[in-house]
Amino acid sequence: MYARIRFLDVLYDLYETAFEDFFHKLMCARHPDFLDVRTHGNIGDQGADGLSLHSRKLYACYAPQTPDASKIRGKFASDLKSAKAQRDGQFDTFVFVHNDRRGMHPEIAGVLAKAAVDHRPLRFEQMGSRRLWQECLGLEQALAEDVLGCEIPIKDLVFGVGLEDLAPLLKHLQELRTPADPFMDLPDVPHVKLDFNALHGEAREDLQRGMRHSHLVDAFYDGGMLAVEHDEVARGFRLYYEQVRAEWDDPEDVLWQLEMYVLGNGQQPRRVQRNARVVLAHFFERCDIFDAPPPDWHPDTPLRVPA
């Protein structure tokens, strides 16, 4: 996360030659076969800002301070013409590298699509901020620090919502949680929601046990500024749940990821784990995590297909 923020911060101020220098540094660190082509005298760069020997890709950079579709089209056409004339036989793929953090301009996307048809069998690709970040992710830590120009702090425990943020709540639960009546009634809605989200076995039992104490979370957040914090934490849970659900299909895996979101990926004492499950049960009942069934849904209705 730190490296991602640093990467975006660095990229924000890179234009023209500075952007090309960063691109060369990144690609040389990432790919031993990458050639960082520089301009030379009256021959220029012969239509290439970089070449990959093994993948036979030619890279052309364009990073203006103010993007202009007509100028980008002209630059693309000029670089392509120069590359085909002066580097014939040296590449199979033409990669247009740009600094537009919002993505590819629709007109430029059309230019690339047309070029892919007009210049077969030559292939075309684009490389913007997302692709550059993917290259960064492939670097070892020392190389990433060199490319980004900073030390990247790494800890053994990685927290999502932050154990520090939830520490007062977990301490509150540890002090007040008492053994619950095993025969106490649980609300009907969570049962239906458990079925709808296909939560069974141990995952279901963990949430049900947590529900017996989830009222303590309400008591902790009740009133004042803590009510605002309650909403902020709930929003964080919802956003993270949506991210996790896009990557994991099994509801039990989703619940496991959410538990790590509270506790980090290190081993925690069992009492802390139990308290974390109370927190998850609370936000489950609030419908901040997992999906609420439609009003007319019945357990006999076919289960939803995970997103």
Side-chain angles (χ1 to χ4, degrees):
M1 291 175 65
Y2 181 90
R4 169 70 171 169
I5 293 171
R6 174 63 180 170
F7 166 80
L8 292 174
D9 185 52
V10 169
L11 199 65
Y12 185 80
D13 292 322
L14 294 180
Y15 306 103
E16 301 173 352
T17 303
F19 176 82
E20 186 177 330
D21 290 342
F22 174 80
F23 172 72
H24 282 167
K25 191 173 186 179
L26 170 59
M27 294 298 284
C28 284
R30 182 73 176 90
H31 302 285
D33 69 317
F34 179 80
L35 305 178
D36 49 335
V37 181
R38 62 179 177 85
T39 57
H40 178 78
N42 60 359
I43 66 172
D45 57 18
Q46 296 187 327
D49 294 312
L51 287 168
S52 290
L53 296 179
H54 297 163
S55 60
R56 292 180 55 80
K57 292 183 177 182
L58 180 146
Y59 298 85
C61 294
Y62 189 53
Q65 290 196 21
T66 305
D68 182 282
S70 62
K71 292 181 179 180
I72 296 175
R73 285 197 302 269
K75 172 66 173 174
F76 176 84
S78 174
D79 284 350
L80 178 58
K81 180 179 179 181
S82 178
K84 292 189 69 175
Q86 301 183 72
R87 295 192 178 276
D88 185 38
Q90 297 181 15
F91 66 101
D92 299 323
T93 303
F94 183 95
V95 185
F96 191 65
V97 186
H98 62 92
N99 68 334
D100 194 334
R101 294 172 60 184
R102 296 171 298 175
M104 176 63 69
H105 190 285
E107 290 187 28
I108 309 307
V111 169
L112 280 172
K114 186 175 186 303
V117 175
D118 295 342
H119 297 275
R120 289 174 178 168
L122 189 63
R123 294 187 292 272
F124 290 84
E125 296 178 2
Q126 67 89 25
M127 178 177 280
S129 62
R130 295 179 181 88
R131 286 276 308 278
L132 292 170
W133 170 240
Q134 289 171 8
E135 295 291 347
C136 279
L137 287 175
L139 295 173
E140 295 181 359
Q141 182 181 349
L143 287 174
E145 290 176 338
D146 180 55
V147 169
L148 297 176
C150 69
E151 181 180 353
I152 300 173
I154 295 179
K155 300 180 181 180
D156 291 336
L157 286 181
V158 180
F159 301 108
V161 71
L163 185 59
E164 182 178 348
D165 295 333
L166 286 178
L169 171 58
L170 295 175
K171 184 175 183 295
H172 168 83
L173 293 174
Q174 182 175 330
E175 293 172 350
L176 297 185
R177 190 171 64 85
T178 55
D181 178 0
F183 300 104
M184 69 180 291
D185 293 333
L186 292 175
D188 292 333
V189 175
H191 277 297
V192 176
K193 186 178 175 183
L194 288 164
D195 293 335
F196 180 69
N197 287 276
L199 285 160
H200 305 293
E202 291 184 6
R204 186 186 186 101
E205 292 172 3
D206 286 341
L207 282 174
Q208 287 180 309
R209 281 193 291 266
M211 288 174 194
R212 301 182 189 277
H213 307 281
S214 60
H215 64 280
L216 296 175
V217 180
D218 280 313
F220 176 80
Y221 281 121
D222 187 29
M225 290 302 297
L226 283 179
V228 177
E229 181 182 333
H230 193 186
D231 291 337
E232 292 176 352
V233 173
R235 186 158 49 248
F237 267 105
R238 184 65 196 180
L239 290 172
Y240 190 71
Y241 166 72
E242 291 173 353
Q243 294 176 24
V244 171
R245 188 179 62 175
E247 299 178 16
W248 300 82
D249 293 332
D250 190 323
E252 189 170 349
D253 289 335
V254 173
L255 190 63
W256 171 56
Q257 291 293 320
L258 289 168
E259 185 173 322
M260 285 200 296
Y261 180 64
V262 177
L263 298 177
N265 58 0
Q267 185 66 33
Q268 296 288 340
R270 289 181 62 83
R271 65 180 182 277
V272 179
Q273 293 180 21
R274 288 193 292 268
N275 291 336
R277 288 164 187 163
V278 172
V279 174
L280 292 177
H282 168 77
F283 289 106
F284 178 88
E285 290 177 294
R286 278 176 43 110
C287 293
D288 296 302
I289 58 174
F290 292 92
D291 297 323
D296 58 347
W297 188 84
H298 188 273
D300 293 334
T301 305
L303 293 175
R304 66 176 178 83
V305 177

